[in-house]
Amino acid sequence: MTLAAVLFDVDGTLADTERDGHRIAFNQAFEESQLDWNWDVDLYGVLLQITGGKERIRFYIENYAPSFLNKNNLEDWIAQIHKIKTKYFLNLLKEGKIPLRPGIKRLLDDLRSNNIKVAIATTTTYENVSTLLQCTLGNDALEWFDVIGAGDIVPNKKPAPDIYQWVLKQLNLSAETCIAIEDSENGLKSSTAAGIRTIITISEYTQKQDFSDAILVLEDLETTGKQIDTQTISNLLNQKQNK
């Protein structure tokens, strides 16, 4: 089987965005909204079991601040808090405080030089993705990717396979010819449910999760004894295919 595309998750995979990115931005949004909520490092690890920022806020309300369930126009209010949070998160990106993880740029360069398609499959907003890419890879970074699947373009977020199925459809490729790179158990469930073999690069919040369905589990793409490149990924695709 010939490798046709590599599909990347974003948060925790392209960059360590969670603890010192999204979490900080949520807390800044809460402060601006005059809420006394504070998501510390440990609590945020629990909340990350829920994919999607608006969904995460609602889960927090249901489990930690249920009095807000009676608020008028609750969903609109949650969306407004999330909009404020996005503003603060984008500021962190523009300030250069969230770099790419080790090996990401090198692998992207290598894949593109070998004419392998690259795509994004994430539940974070398109604005978050585009700003991260442009702030870390340059103004033309969006052109590096053949498809960017982000945000609310599908009805169900990870661990549902919807976003990966959508990206595969846009690429006009079968799952058997692709590899996904993820960092979380929810992401792994999403990609494998779509039939895509998956490499895991664990992050701080996901190191104790179940990755038994991954074809390879790494700390990152650089510190594994040898660099992960196009040939390595192609070999993994065919090793799994031949089992």
Side-chain angles (χ1 to χ4, degrees):
M1 186 74 68
T2 300
L3 177 67
V6 176
L7 284 53
F8 291 85
D9 171 53
V10 174
D11 291 318
T13 300
L14 289 187
D16 279 325
T17 56
E18 297 292 6
R19 190 190 71 176
D20 298 324
H22 288 296
R23 184 183 68 86
I24 299 300
F26 273 117
N27 285 333
Q28 290 173 322
F30 300 153
E31 183 176 356
E32 181 174 324
S33 302
Q34 299 183 325
L35 295 166
D36 63 356
W37 304 349
N38 180 70
W39 291 0
D40 62 25
V41 171
D42 291 338
L43 174 59
Y44 196 65
V46 174
L47 298 175
L48 279 176
Q49 298 174 44
I50 306 302
T51 54
K54 293 186 290 292
E55 292 82 356
R56 200 167 295 148
I57 295 171
R58 184 174 182 88
F59 177 86
Y60 175 81
I61 292 172
E62 290 173 348
N63 290 275
Y64 298 89
S67 62
F68 286 89
L69 289 172
N70 298 320
K71 191 173 184 64
N72 291 332
N73 301 313
L74 178 61
E75 298 306 321
D76 291 341
W77 183 67
I78 289 173
Q80 180 59 29
I81 295 174
H82 189 258
K83 183 178 180 180
I84 297 169
K85 173 261 175 182
T86 297
K87 174 187 70 175
Y88 284 113
F89 180 72
L90 296 178
N91 286 341
L92 291 171
L93 291 174
K94 292 170 184 176
E95 291 166 4
K97 294 183 177 179
I98 306 176
L100 295 178
R101 291 189 67 183
I104 290 294
K105 183 178 185 303
R106 176 193 51 75
L107 178 57
L108 287 170
D109 287 337
D110 189 54
L111 291 167
R112 295 173 69 227
S113 68
N114 283 281
N115 297 314
I116 305 299
K117 294 182 182 297
V118 291
I120 295 290
T122 182
T123 57
T124 197
T125 67
Y126 180 85
E127 190 175 18
N128 285 350
V129 176
S130 60
T131 304
L132 171 67
L133 295 176
Q134 291 171 326
C135 288
T136 54
L137 296 172
N139 292 332
D140 66 340
L142 299 184
E143 300 172 10
W144 292 28
F145 294 85
D146 296 271
V147 173
I148 296 179
D152 297 321
I153 58 174
V154 292
N156 301 302
K157 295 186 176 180
K158 300 176 184 177
D162 300 35
I163 190 64
Y164 277 103
Q165 292 169 339
W166 186 90
V167 170
L168 288 173
K169 184 176 181 180
Q170 303 306 307
L171 289 170
N172 194 28
L173 292 174
S174 66
E176 292 76 14
T177 64
C178 300
I179 289 283
I181 301 182
E182 278 278 359
D183 79 300
S184 71
E185 185 176 351
N186 274 340
L188 177 62
K189 288 178 178 178
S190 175
S191 56
T192 54
I196 306 171
R197 301 168 188 83
T198 304
I199 296 169
I200 291 291
T201 56
I202 58 174
S203 60
E204 177 180 356
Y205 278 122
T206 67
Q207 53 189 315
K208 295 182 180 180
Q209 294 180 3
D210 179 8
F211 297 127
S212 55
D213 288 333
I215 58 173
L216 183 65
V217 180
L218 307 167
E219 289 194 6
D220 58 51
L221 298 175
E222 292 282 47
T223 59
T224 59
K226 71 173 184 177
Q227 295 178 337
I228 300 301
D229 56 15
T230 302
Q231 188 58 56
T232 304
I233 294 174
S234 295
N235 292 342
L236 286 168
L237 184 79
N238 286 296
Q239 286 171 11
K240 187 69 175 179
Q241 183 71 18
N242 293 335
K243 287 185 180 179

